[in-house]
Amino acid sequence: MALTAGAPESHSRPLPSVWTSADAAGTMQEALEALDTYKKKDLTKVVVRFKAVGNAPIMKQNFYKISASNRFQAVIQFLRKELGWKAGDPLFTYINLAFSPAPDDTVANLFKSFSTDGHLIVNYSTTAAWG
């Protein structure tokens, strides 16, 4: 369809506006409920299995239940505490021998995406094992 100069488009329509529609109160209520749901802490637990890679020390117990709402940073801190490592000691963590998750990823998201046999497998090493 070719438009000529000065000719308005013949099939224009007004854009709906959520803030001026009749059901704006309902939409606002839905938004507030979604925010409340997001703010609630997930009380479910996720089974995390730690596996040593390379010359990392093997843990006596390698299955732990961790709150799903925790960030992966909490898993790293927990692992450091269990191994007796200081903050400056090198520790590299990987999910399923494949990638290193960001510390701000939630355990729930990692579990939903990468769980194996109902466990989130976290491999740890003292040296960089994978890119």
Side-chain angles (χ1 to χ4, degrees):
M1 165 193 221
L3 293 177
T4 59
E9 194 171 323
S10 62
H11 56 276
S12 65
R13 60 184 174 170
L15 295 175
S17 174
V18 173
W19 304 110
T20 59
S21 65
D23 65 339
T27 304
M28 286 297 292
Q29 183 62 30
E30 288 177 21
L32 290 173
E33 288 173 6
L35 282 173
D36 287 341
T37 302
Y38 179 75
K39 288 179 185 176
K40 287 181 185 173
K41 200 164 194 162
D42 189 2
L43 299 177
T44 59
K45 299 276 186 169
V46 169
V47 177
V48 177
R49 181 177 182 187
F50 293 104
K51 286 185 171 183
V53 175
N55 63 347
I58 298 172
M59 300 171 68
K60 291 180 183 174
Q61 178 184 346
N62 58 1
F63 287 95
Y64 292 92
K65 285 189 176 183
I66 296 178
S67 295
S69 61
N70 283 342
R71 302 270 181 216
F72 192 72
Q73 178 65 38
V75 174
I76 295 170
Q77 289 172 343
F78 174 79
L79 182 59
R80 281 189 183 280
K81 185 182 79 165
E82 288 296 311
L83 294 172
W85 287 355
K86 299 178 188 118
D89 295 337
L91 177 65
F92 298 89
T93 55
Y94 304 94
I95 300 293
N96 295 338
L97 297 173
F99 71 98
S100 184
D104 63 343
D105 283 337
T106 62
V107 173
N109 285 343
L110 292 169
F111 181 79
K112 288 175 189 172
S113 301
F114 305 106
S115 65
T116 304
D117 297 328
H119 304 122
L120 179 63
I121 299 174
V122 177
N123 305 94
Y124 61 96
S125 176
T126 58
T127 58
W130 294 274

